[in-house]
Amino acid sequence: MDTQRPPDQQKTILLGRIVGAFGVRGQIKIESWTEPREAIFRYQPWILRNAAGSEREFSGARGKPSGKHLVATFPEVEDRDAVEALRGTEILVPRSALPPPRPGEFYWVDLEGLRVVNADGTDFGHVSHLFSTGANDVLVARGERERLIPFVEPDFIKSVDFDAGVVTVDWDPDF
């Protein structure tokens, strides 16, 4: 599988979100989608995006695991009211902040926008996004209609060619 394409330096990656307050002293509960969860603290500065779409850059968060969330402290956030004002805020980082993928691996965001075709050359559109079902990941191809294709190599995902900008799949066009 060809994975030599340099990442788009302008893309941002959603790594987690603020889910609420922990206690009364300004501690913050964070849901992290990094693996391991605590790795989210390695990728700073963060871009904090609120529900209205406003963004600001932020540095200095520290934290540790607590149940299914992380409990963090942010500089200048010192009470529960300040934390509640951040509830629902998304935590993003520039794609360039992440380490390069290992050979044969890639980040989902690097697949977004690639053309999706089957072995017969039928065009399914472009990769919109991917999501996890627990059983396997799913590639969402949007063209004349939306197709959900299990991201299972080599059964359904035959190749990813970043140079050509194409994901080749083994998928029936009528499905």
Side-chain angles (χ1 to χ4, degrees):
M1 192 174 295
D2 182 4
T3 59
Q4 300 305 310
R5 182 181 78 153
D8 180 349
Q9 301 299 316
Q10 301 304 313
K11 289 185 178 182
T12 56
I13 311 295
L14 180 64
L15 295 185
R17 67 184 170 99
I18 297 172
V19 295
F22 183 85
V24 295
R25 296 190 184 125
Q27 291 181 304
I28 302 163
K29 281 196 302 190
I30 295 176
E31 182 176 19
S32 171
W33 299 305
T34 62
E35 186 60 45
R37 293 182 297 163
E38 306 84 43
I40 194 169
F41 296 110
R42 289 186 218 149
Y43 310 118
Q44 293 189 48
W46 290 346
I47 299 165
L48 299 180
R49 181 187 301 153
N50 67 19
S54 296
E55 294 181 350
R56 66 182 172 117
E57 193 170 285
F58 180 85
S59 293
R62 296 175 181 222
K64 63 183 180 184
S66 179
K68 67 179 184 174
H69 296 106
L70 300 172
V71 174
T73 57
F74 288 7
E76 302 176 18
V77 177
E78 298 174 0
D79 63 39
R80 188 176 184 88
D81 292 337
V83 174
E84 286 302 327
L86 295 171
R87 183 186 291 270
T89 297
E90 295 177 328
I91 302 167
L92 302 104
V93 297
R95 166 63 179 86
S96 59
L98 299 177
R102 289 178 268 186
E105 294 183 353
F106 39 81
Y107 291 107
W108 285 0
V109 70
D110 294 340
L111 298 173
E112 292 174 3
L114 297 182
R115 267 184 346 117
V116 180
V117 298
N118 73 0
D120 297 330
T122 303
D123 190 335
F124 291 159
H126 291 84
V127 176
S128 167
H129 62 283
L130 290 98
F131 64 90
S132 181
T133 64
N136 56 266
D137 300 329
V138 176
L139 180 144
V140 179
R142 287 196 179 139
E144 83 284 352
R145 66 184 179 94
E146 184 175 89
R147 290 183 173 86
L148 305 179
I149 303 169
F151 201 93
V152 178
E153 299 174 277
D155 298 344
F156 303 116
I157 305 298
K158 293 301 187 182
S159 68
V160 176
D161 185 338
F162 287 112
D163 291 332
V166 175
V167 176
T168 303
V169 298
D170 183 3
W171 201 250
D172 186 327
D174 296 325
F175 193 69

